[in-house]
Amino acid sequence: MEKYKIQRFRFIFSLLLMPFICVMAYAGEPDPWLLTVENPDADNYYGISVANGQMGILSSPEPLKTGKLVLGGVYDVSGRARINQFMPALKMLDIDMRINGRAVNRRSVKDFTQTLDMRHACFKGSFTMTGRANVEYSYMALRNLPYNCMMTITVTPLEDVMLEVSNILTAGPIWKDPEENFTSVKDGDRTYYIAYTTAKSPVKGIVMGASSVMLPDTSYALPLISHKLGDYGVHSQAFSISLKKHRPYTLHVVGTLMSDVNTKNIVSNEVMRQAFYVAVEGAERLRKKHLDEWDELWKSDIIIDGDAQSQQDIHSMLYHLYSFVRAGSGLSTSPMGLSGDGYSGHVFWDTETWIYPPLLLLHPELAHEMLEYRFNRLDGARQKAYTHGYKGAMFPWESAASGNEEIQYGNLYGHYEVHIGADIALAAWQYYLVTRDTEWLRTRGYPLLEATADFYVSRVERDDKGSYILKNVIGADERNKNLHGGKTVDNNAYTIGAVKANLHNAVLAARKLGLVPHPGWSEVEQKLSFEHFDNGLIREHSTYNGEDTKQADVVLLAYPLNFLKSKEDVSRNLEYYLRTVPRKKTPAMSKAIYSILYSQTGDRDKAWQYFEESYLPNLNPPFRVIAEFDGGTNPYFITGAGGTLQAVMMGFCGLRIDEKGISQLTPQLPRHWKSVTLTGIGPQHKTIKINQ
């Protein structure tokens, strides 16, 4: 216990130092909507995303530059890993600038500040070229247009200056056969200059295109825009203009990013059309529509009174949740969303179990897309079941574009993590419970529940007592080992619980629709049982005897599966399995589950402890971006954010998704929080306020 107190002190002390280590520019309490950094350290910099559910743009420590770009749903095969994975996309927003001949870069500027405005989904920067000019810039992935983005730059001269601006388009070295083009299009008395690039992905030959249009300040004489070819896959459009002292100059650059996965048209033609469209729309109309869309999204919010830092952090989690999913896209999200190519952009159980539940309560129309993604890949899951000798649908552990198994070559265990289908089925049933959309249940939800239930009926085996067992599975705790040291075990507790819930809900769904449940569903549910120790605790699997575990498994039977109901059963199993989890590198979402269960059992102090531990040790500078575990360097981990949001909504606030739709246990707010207000909850957009 003394060792734990020392660790706890060090943890708290490191948190107290974090604002200074990260050079966060706070004046008093943290702003609920703004993450601001002064003079960012390029050697200790983890970029933060602006995204619109289709396109993600990572920030850069260099002024007027962007980091990696990601185009959702576009995968190519990695030669080494032999899997489909996200690729770094073409870039079209980067700016090179000279003021009176001096290049703008991190070394030449002063008072360099970067800010993420979460309320408006806009990344901003500002700096001074001493004695020459003040410069402000911002960019956004336009929420109103899935394939478009915009950068705005305002230069305020401190003396008469010559401004030189180049907009750089880049296809990275992985792209084959890049073609750089530049053209002009007249619209009345206006001429728009369009630079665009197309290139092919290295293996599949997917064509990606990027375009940009510079919209100069019309309060000055319009400059002549020229085109220049650079190194492999690089070209630019540029102009120069004389600026008068104290007379600001504003430039907008609108960009487009598409591929032949996104359009049936010729990509080069489509990115030109999109470029012309957004140019004619104009910066102000684009900005207004973008802000209007985010106003709608933020009608569903979590408002904390009494803890400014938690409020800022929760807004960051919600901001990323909303940024990585888009209505109408048919796309789901990977554990890293659109923040980069972490986890290859694959879709795991993370989506349905961790990211989906808070999104279902806050924005059902966004949660809908995650299930649409699964439904559209149901045929692939049926084929996988057939290939393995089973009926129904066997969903892949890692999914990309096709819905086939995408686990890395050399890792042969994905076929055993069979709880993924039941996780999807639970999400489908929860969608119906919240929305009561019977037509959706008939056409989308029930096919998912039915096909997964049929798979599990064919997957179980009878034992010599007439009961059913699940052999050779890997549960939520992927550190399971059998007696031979292998990873597959029999009768994993979480897998059994998820399967029983799938079978039970499939029966309920059939009856809701006036259909006859399939033979065997109820029988298998009733005769598939958890294993127990002699003291009554649930055994994680058939040969488990107290070994270390990687993450929450048995305790998931209390939440979200609701098999452990009494306070005593929840507490005993929770305390036992907590002792088996290492304190370092524990996945963030496990800590969130512990927080929820301590709230459920009425221990608000431990609920708060694990809420903090679910994300604070995992933050990376300078924007407090979340990694998967403490010391992790692969942010942004939206899975962890989803877990922490559940710790607030389902833990502190006590919300549950059940047969009533949305119900509520006794809230257990942290002692120093005065209140929590949840707005826009469910299809009726309810407001729920919990006071201390």
Side-chain angles (χ1 to χ4, degrees), residues 367-385:
H368 171 275
E369 295 308 307
M370 298 177 174
L371 295 175
E372 191 71 5
Y373 170 87
R374 295 296 192 183
F375 177 81
N376 289 336
R377 287 154 183 80
L378 189 52
D379 286 345
R382 293 185 190 279
Q383 181 61 39
K384 182 175 180 180

Side-chain angles (χ1 to χ4, degrees), residues 362-405:
L362 293 160
H363 279 288
E365 77 282 3
L366 298 183
H368 171 275
E369 295 308 307
M370 298 177 174
L371 295 175
E372 191 71 5
Y373 170 87
R374 295 296 192 183
F375 177 81
N376 289 336
R377 287 154 183 80
L378 189 52
D379 286 345
R382 293 185 190 279
Q383 181 61 39
K384 182 175 180 180
Y386 173 78
T387 299
H388 289 79
Y390 301 118
K391 297 178 181 179
M394 182 182 182
F395 278 93
W397 179 239
E398 299 187 33
S399 180
S402 68
N404 298 324
E405 182 61 70

Side-chain angles (χ1 to χ4, degrees), residues 174-185:
I174 69 166
W175 291 93
K176 297 169 58 178
D177 306 325
E179 295 184 7
E180 301 89 8
N181 296 280
F182 183 68
T183 190
S184 61
V185 180

Side-chain angles (χ1 to χ4, degrees), residues 459-479:
R459 179 66 165 77
V460 297
E461 301 175 29
R462 280 189 183 273
D463 64 12
D464 55 8
K465 299 177 182 177
S467 296
Y468 289 100
I469 57 175
L470 271 169
K471 296 184 69 68
N472 289 333
V473 299
I474 297 175
D477 174 20
E478 295 172 313
R479 198 171 286 172

Side-chain angles (χ1 to χ4, degrees), residues 320-335:
H320 283 90
L321 197 70
Y322 296 164
S323 294
F324 293 160
V325 186
R326 183 180 186 87
S329 68
L331 298 176
S332 191
T333 184
S334 81

